[in-house]
Amino acid sequence: MRAARLIRMALLIQSNPGLTAAALARELEVSERTVIRDAQALQEAGVPVRSERGRVGGYFLAAGYRTRLTTLHPSEAETLFLSGLPSALQDLGLSDAAESARLKLTATLLPSVREAAESSVRRFHLDAPAWFREPATPQLLPDLARAVWADRTVELSYVRPGRDGAPPSAVTRVVEPYGLVLKAGTWYAVARIPGGRDDHDGGWRTYRVDRITALRPAPGVQEPFVRDPAFELAAHWEARSAAFARTLLRTTVTVRLTGRGLRRLPAAVDGAAVADALASASAPDPAGLVTLDLPAESEDVAFDQLARLGADAEVLAPAGLRARFREHAEALAALYRDGPREAGPGGAEGQR
């Protein structure tokens, strides 16, 4: 455990000269006293670590010294070679650079470690897009990615989908692009509107990249924008996507479930709705049935989701949805009450 921490500490100092004991303690999740002891251990092991005091002080490696990657464990090399997403790198225009980096890294590894890394590539492959859709790379994605890397404020034109039957509308925004997210084969840009820090959501916006129709440097802005040091893309995306999922749940359905229906509910309903529904669940009645309030996008969506549970789910409200399930059940009963229908000239499908 300590050996791995010492290696990580040396690599942190190599990549970020001048890190203080406090900063290293936060990164390594240890105390500052442990950092001081680890620095002494590195020195005893022959790693030329030195500490400097003062306003610009911190920990440094001797000039020209570089740690070598021959200390990688085979499992670490396997993980490193699996960390890339080939399709995403290609979309971003980075596939050639990634391949070059992979070849350079491979050349530095010991033969035994190199074999483990190459073996992982032959055994595992990540295909991010969902089934039954042909992923298309947004034309402006590489340009947007370069703006993200350079912290460059941009002006983008965007087609905003209409609501409640309204037609789409075109908008233009000046934004600070903070990051890109690939979700189920679709690229999204997370950006902040300059000067929007005080609005209800801090000026943060999310744009589907395939709906961006034009991208150009922001007029009159030459310098890179200053990133919020507290911003973390993964945490921001998780919070915003969960909030977005809940905004879609505009209908509540009261449903009674058997024990099996309760177990099957997560497979039929979206995760955010399941969590809220389970929080409202009653204690099982003498027959083992549980009643809960299930959030749903609409009655149509609730019908499609709960129909998968069959007789393990009984809708109690709203009355219109319960009547729809009754009609559905009666139609199924009539269909299966007698033997198979005889096919006419147009075939069985033509008679229905």
Side-chain angles (χ1 to χ4, degrees), residues 93-112:
L94 298 174
S95 56
D96 291 342
E99 177 63 16
S100 175
R102 188 186 69 82
L103 292 173
K104 290 179 180 179
L105 177 59
T106 300
T108 69
L109 298 176
L110 291 171
S112 60

Side-chain angles (χ1 to χ4, degrees), residues 190-245:
V190 176
R192 201 174 196 180
I193 297 179
R197 276 72 168 173
D198 298 328
D199 67 11
H200 71 282
D201 58 1
W204 293 107
R205 301 291 187 270
T206 301
Y207 302 94
R208 272 187 59 154
V209 179
D210 59 3
R211 291 178 181 160
I212 297 176
T213 57
L215 185 73
R216 62 193 69 85
V221 181
Q222 303 295 331
E223 298 297 323
F225 64 85
V226 179
R227 297 177 68 90
D228 182 352
F231 176 80
E232 294 184 5
L233 180 60
H236 174 91
W237 178 262
E238 182 178 359
R240 292 304 175 101
S241 58
F244 174 72

